Amino acid sequence: MPTFELNRLLSYADEALFAELRRVAALVEGPYLTKTAFNRHSKASSSVICDRFGGWGTALERAGLRNRYSGS
């Protein structure tokens, strides 16, 4: 039986976005989590993340993923 999965988040609260960053980081291979890779696997847009937290690097740091930031 097929399962139904939403293609967007139910909540866009800060903690929900951090959880989504962590979820996608666990799926993406390689040392960095890029916005392109995030957008490919995520239920939220990297632009939402950047707008909310003031940039990709800041968002990754606040989510505990500082080591996954490429610096660009």
Side-chain angles (χ1 to χ4, degrees):
M1 175 187 268
T3 60
F4 176 77
E5 185 176 332
L6 289 175
N7 60 359
R8 63 181 174 82
L9 296 177
L10 291 176
S11 168
Y12 283 78
D14 289 359
E15 283 307 316
L17 293 173
F18 292 145
E20 184 66 356
L21 279 165
R22 292 182 203 108
R23 184 188 74 78
V24 173
L27 296 174
V28 173
E29 293 183 19
Y32 304 120
L33 177 58
T34 64
K35 290 186 268 187
T36 300
F38 181 80
N39 288 336
R40 192 175 309 125
H41 298 284
S42 180
K43 298 177 182 182
S45 167
S46 63
S47 63
V48 169
I49 301 284
C50 291
D51 289 347
R52 175 73 60 87
F53 303 112
W56 188 245
T58 302
L60 290 177
E61 184 169 343
R62 290 189 58 194
L65 299 167
R66 182 178 184 195
N67 62 321
R68 300 294 302 269
Y69 182 54
S70 69
S72 57

